[in-house]
Amino acid sequence: METKKLLEEADKYVMHTYGRFPVALRKGRGMRVWSTSGKEYLDFLGGIAVNVLGHCHPKVVVTIQKQAQRLIHVSNLYHIEPQVRLAKLLCTHSFADKVFFCNSGAEANEAAIKLVRKYASEQLGAGRSGIISTLNSFHGRTLGALTATGQEKFHKGFGPLVPGFTYVPFDDLDSMKAAVSPETCAIILEPVQAEGGVQVPSPEYLKGVRKICDDNGILLILDEVQTGMGRTGTLFAHEQFGIVPDVMTLAKGLGAGVPIGAMLATDKVAASFQPKTHASTFGGNPLVCAAAITTLEVILEDGFVLDHVNRISRYFMGRLEQLKNVFSDKVVAVRGMGLLIGVELVRDALPVVNACMERGILVGTAGSGNVLRLTPPLIVEEKDIDVLITTLEDVLEK
Ligand SMILES: *Cc1c(COP(=O)(O)O)cnc(C)c1O
């Protein structure tokens, strides 16, 4: 379809839930995507941390083709081999003993919220439904996940929300400690607040939160929907903070682009989900699980995450720091872990995003709009970063 007509029909037929750029993307390979009008872009947004292996990674493509020929979907009333294999792979490489599969980050967080409440009602006693979340967090758009999201701008107009949630400032252990009450059953956190502007907590924060949970007999849910799957330089971000959660949620990069979410837990907690307590029709179907197995296998290939992501991250952060020093009147801060990077600007980042787009580079925004969000595929190379930096120099100059 011709681009102009496509944009007209999008306006006419698709609900206006996104402030979309006037570009339609139709093809991708590795770090690159091409629009319907034939323009090439270097993709530093990566589907917002989804396309971890770049676009159309050959191994993922072949896996999807083969699995689509064999079996696309069956009900979860039957055993599904790729689902079992993926669950085993995830448990082998994490603290978890059991996995529940769903289709998105929000759904994974809904499952986590339901699981901790069920666990609390059975193991901790009546009235233990309280969940503490952090301000500026992001956990998704369904009502439970939306309520867990500590940002009023996302809540507006959707009340009444789910009862039982309280919010405390991120990276503030005293407030967290003070918020725990006899009703509290869990704390939900992103190890690094991503949507909230790429906020990396102090090194001791997660240990402190873990201790508060242990001291009070409450559960820790880590939302690694964006930070997981090698994004921060380890398979899961919490590994770098020296703690393990009781429950962890994944989605975004898990299937390198196919819609899949997962909620992982220890046996102790997972035991509260029994037949007829929670379910998903599509969750963990053969097609998406096969894609996720291949994704995980490629990420776990010797040294890929630890070596490449960490090496390239150091290079990337170094180049951005230089940029900040040159443009100290425009760049406030460079933050991040691995390839989850935020560049805080003195003003709205959208003009910079648009200018980069004109010059053939896709980047995003985060926080209150003044942070450039860089979440490229984990396969990004120095030469791609050099192109981005040169472009940013040109854009910031103007
Ligand atoms: C994107 C995101 C979600 C929501 O995921 P969806 O797949 O859009 O529902 C939840 N938590 C975090 C940390 C995210 O980054």
Side-chain angles (χ1 to χ4, degrees), residues 55-240:
H55 294 278
C56 301
H57 187 284
K59 286 189 179 164
V60 176
V61 170
V62 169
T63 293
I64 291 173
Q65 286 171 335
K66 281 191 179 160
Q67 187 60 49
Q69 282 177 340
R70 187 177 307 130
L71 187 67
I72 295 175
H73 179 84
V74 287
S75 165
N76 273 310
L77 294 173
Y78 311 100
H79 291 282
I80 297 168
E81 186 185 333
Q83 187 182 110
V84 178
R85 286 178 50 212
L86 177 59
K88 183 177 173 188
L89 205 52
L90 286 168
C91 290
T92 306
H93 293 280
S94 73
F95 71 95
D97 302 309
K98 297 270 191 295
V99 186
F100 171 82
F101 290 105
C102 52
N103 313 288
S104 69
E107 276 181 63
N109 286 325
E110 292 293 336
I113 292 164
K114 284 183 69 178
L115 179 64
V116 297
R117 284 190 166 175
K118 188 80 168 33
Y119 171 87
S121 77
E122 291 170 358
Q123 304 296 328
L124 304 181
R128 294 286 298 264
S129 60
I131 297 174
I132 305 170
S133 175
T134 56
L135 292 167
N136 258 324
S137 58
F138 186 81
H139 299 294
R141 304 287 195 156
T142 56
L143 271 174
L146 179 68
T147 309
T149 296
Q151 301 195 54
E152 250 168 49
K153 68 177 184 212
F154 293 124
H155 292 174
K156 237 177 141 199
F158 296 112
L161 298 177
V162 178
F165 285 81
T166 48
Y167 311 92
V168 298
F170 187 63
D171 203 14
D172 178 344
L173 286 172
D174 291 334
S175 303
M176 186 64 86
K177 210 177 284 176
V180 175
S181 80
E183 280 93 59
T184 308
C185 70
I187 293 171
I188 183 167
L189 273 185
E190 296 157 87
V192 175
Q193 287 190 336
E195 179 74 33
V198 189
Q199 308 290 349
V200 183
S202 49
E204 293 306 307
Y205 180 59
L206 287 186
K207 268 196 186 138
V209 173
R210 178 73 263 182
K211 184 166 188 307
I212 292 171
C213 289
D214 294 342
D215 290 349
N216 293 280
I218 61 183
L219 301 174
L220 177 59
I221 304 169
L222 285 184
D223 178 346
E224 293 236 23
V225 167
Q226 189 154 169
T227 54
M229 303 307 287
R231 174 62 47 191
T232 66
T234 43
L235 188 56
F236 306 115
H238 68 260
E239 296 168 31
Q240 294 177 63

